[in-house]
Amino acid sequence: MRRECVRAADLLAAMTAGPEPELSNDELRRHADACESCREMVTVVSALRGERERVRRTTTVPSAGLVWWRAQLRQRQQAALRATAPVTAVHAAAVVAAVVLAVVLATSVAPFVGMPSLSNWVPAVPSWVASPGTLATDFPLLRYGLMLGATAWLILGPVALYFALRRD
Amino acid sequence: MRRGLVVAGVGRVDEDALDAVEPLDMNEDAFRAFYDLTSSAVWAYLSHITGDSHAADDLLQETYIRFLGAHRRWESDAHRRNYLFRIATNLAHDRHRRNRLRRTESFDEARAEATWPSSAAEAGYEQRADLRRALARLSPRERQMLWLAYAEGSTHQEIADTLGLRAGGIRVLLFRARRKLAVLLTLRVAPANVEGGRTP
């Protein structure tokens, strides 16, 4: 493998000193003509510096005002997301709690309306988990409480879900 | 009535909550001065490492938006400028990765031809076409290193900081990339379809 010429750093410094990638130093130019590594350096630096200067002269970039405005808008959006993060967490917790409550009430009411309990479909589930309604059988007052809760849920559940999921 | 503001994708937010908006790192005048000084160099870098001037427009704006929200302390102007190029590099890298997932070309030579502002009547058109074709055959990392070193005049340490590489390895990597580009420019390579700089 060829190694980099020891004059490469001098050559690069000379070519990048001015706006145009010219090699004004005669001694360095003679060296570059004779040295393959430095000739490559001249080829590459001339092409890239020349292209950069051309782009600098001819390109129109988006305006600073537009970028500034977008940056401010992004800051406000991020602040808004931070501000609403706790509310979003409460919404998520409310939805989870509502779903759990619905399942509990459904399995509680199921035996009273002749529907099979959860343990019929999933035998591995303990009976007191699959059908908390058995508790109601043992405690009749609890039975009326559960019925009342189920009715309230049927009425209030959709309203609660609406408020939890709505967006202004 | 509740005081508030509707923010896209978020909904209504109380204005009091927005009092906590962190100020941008600069005032508008300072930003305009910095932008005027650096934006064409960042645009040139982005357009030559992606090969797409439209993508360069988008990435340029995103680069400055992230820069303004960075809330960092700058040791010097050079440090600030290098950080800007680092953000640009990361954004270009993300774009390259997304394009690979979508199996589209990260450096589309035909698109570069169509979008780089030049015309056949312009002086040096052929040399630019040669440069474009040659760059298309390099890897994104090689394009980044070469542009930073020879177009921007960055030091090895600055290149390492910008690209997230070890400074010790830059000399050898740069030497190899320079040889490769010099050979391609000398041979005046024919147009080719490339994926991430690899020749099929």
Side-chain angles (χ1 to χ4, degrees):
Chain A
M1 187 186 104
R2 281 192 310 117
R3 295 176 65 85
E4 190 167 54
C5 176
V6 291
R7 305 291 306 273
D10 295 338
L11 197 71
L12 180 61
M15 290 192 76
T16 54
E20 294 297 325
E22 291 168 348
L23 199 53
S24 53
N25 184 320
D26 289 340
E27 193 269 324
L28 274 176
R29 194 186 303 132
R30 278 196 300 277
H31 169 77
D33 287 342
C35 170
E36 192 183 348
S37 170
C38 288
R39 211 164 43 241
E40 288 173 357
M41 171 82 89
V42 170
T43 303
V44 168
V45 175
S46 297
L48 293 177
R49 295 282 291 187
E51 176 65 11
R52 183 187 184 278
E53 280 307 307
R54 190 191 67 81
V55 169
R56 194 182 60 77
R57 284 195 311 268
T58 59
T59 301
T60 307
V61 295
S63 77
L66 172 69
V67 178
W68 176 259
W69 176 79
R70 284 192 60 193
Q72 284 192 313
L73 189 67
R74 178 78 60 85
Q75 288 288 97
R76 288 179 82 82
Q77 282 178 329
Q78 285 175 349
L81 281 174
R82 277 195 300 273
T84 54
V87 179
T88 307
V90 169
H91 282 180
V95 169
V96 170
V99 170
V100 169
L101 187 62
V103 170
V104 168
L105 286 174
T107 52
S108 303
V109 172
F112 305 126
V113 292
M115 286 177 63
S117 73
L118 192 61
S119 59
N120 289 354
W121 294 313
V122 190
V125 177
S127 61
W128 62 272
V129 173
S131 180
T134 53
L135 287 172
T137 314
D138 301 334
F139 302 97
L141 271 179
L142 191 58
R143 174 180 175 165
Y144 295 113
L146 285 171
M147 291 292 278
L148 193 64
T151 309
W153 168 246
L154 284 173
I155 297 166
L156 296 176
V159 178
L161 276 174
Y162 168 75
F163 279 109
L165 298 175
R166 77 168 182 164
R167 288 200 179 268
D168 287 321
Chain B
M1 189 178 157
R2 190 168 55 143
R3 274 196 329 141
L5 167 77
V6 176
V7 179
V10 175
R12 181 172 291 278
V13 180
D14 285 340
E15 281 183 8
D16 292 343
L18 291 177
D19 289 344
V21 176
E22 289 183 67
L24 296 171
D25 274 359
M26 296 177 169
N27 63 42
E28 188 169 355
D29 289 340
F31 172 72
R32 280 178 187 273
F34 178 67
Y35 186 84
D36 289 344
L37 200 66
T38 55
S39 58
S40 70
V42 177
W43 189 91
Y45 175 62
L46 285 166
S47 72
H48 286 83
I49 64 174
T50 61
D52 184 343
S53 64
H54 297 308
D57 281 347
D58 294 340
L59 295 177
L60 178 82
Q61 293 185 49
E62 188 60 29
T63 298
Y64 281 93
I65 289 168
R66 293 196 185 187
F67 173 82
L68 281 168
H71 303 297
R72 289 173 68 107
R73 286 187 181 280
W74 312 114
E75 293 159 15
S76 62
D77 285 349
H79 181 223
R80 187 166 66 169
R81 195 169 178 282
N82 290 339
Y83 187 72
L84 193 64
F85 276 91
R86 186 174 186 163
I87 297 172
T89 303
N90 290 339
L91 289 171
H93 181 68
D94 290 346
R95 177 184 178 275
H96 171 64
R97 209 167 35 198
R98 278 197 307 274
N99 284 351
R100 269 198 356 202
L101 287 173
R102 286 192 225 133
R103 298 187 182 282
T104 54
E105 289 164 5
S106 70
F107 190 112
D108 188 335
E109 199 181 326
R111 190 170 171 82
E113 189 112 20
T115 62
W116 280 7
S118 60
S119 70
E122 223 177 307
Y125 173 79
E126 276 303 318
Q127 288 93 320
R128 283 198 301 282
D130 289 342
L131 176 63
R132 195 162 48 230
R133 291 187 197 114
L135 285 175
R137 292 190 177 244
L138 301 178
S139 71
R141 181 54 38 96
E142 287 169 333
R143 288 195 289 266
Q144 290 160 4
M145 276 196 306
L146 287 168
W147 190 268
L148 289 171
Y150 303 128
E152 290 302 320
S154 301
T155 64
H156 290 179
Q157 184 61 54
E158 287 169 344
I159 295 170
D161 290 344
T162 301
L163 303 184
L165 299 172
R166 281 189 311 109
I170 295 294
R171 181 181 293 278
V172 175
L173 292 172
L174 201 52
F175 176 65
R176 288 180 190 155
R178 191 176 71 221
R179 281 202 72 190
K180 204 168 159 182
L181 181 59
V183 169
L184 290 167
L185 286 172
T186 310
L187 292 176
R188 304 192 68 175
V189 289
N193 286 331
V194 289
E195 166 58 42
R198 286 187 296 277
T199 310

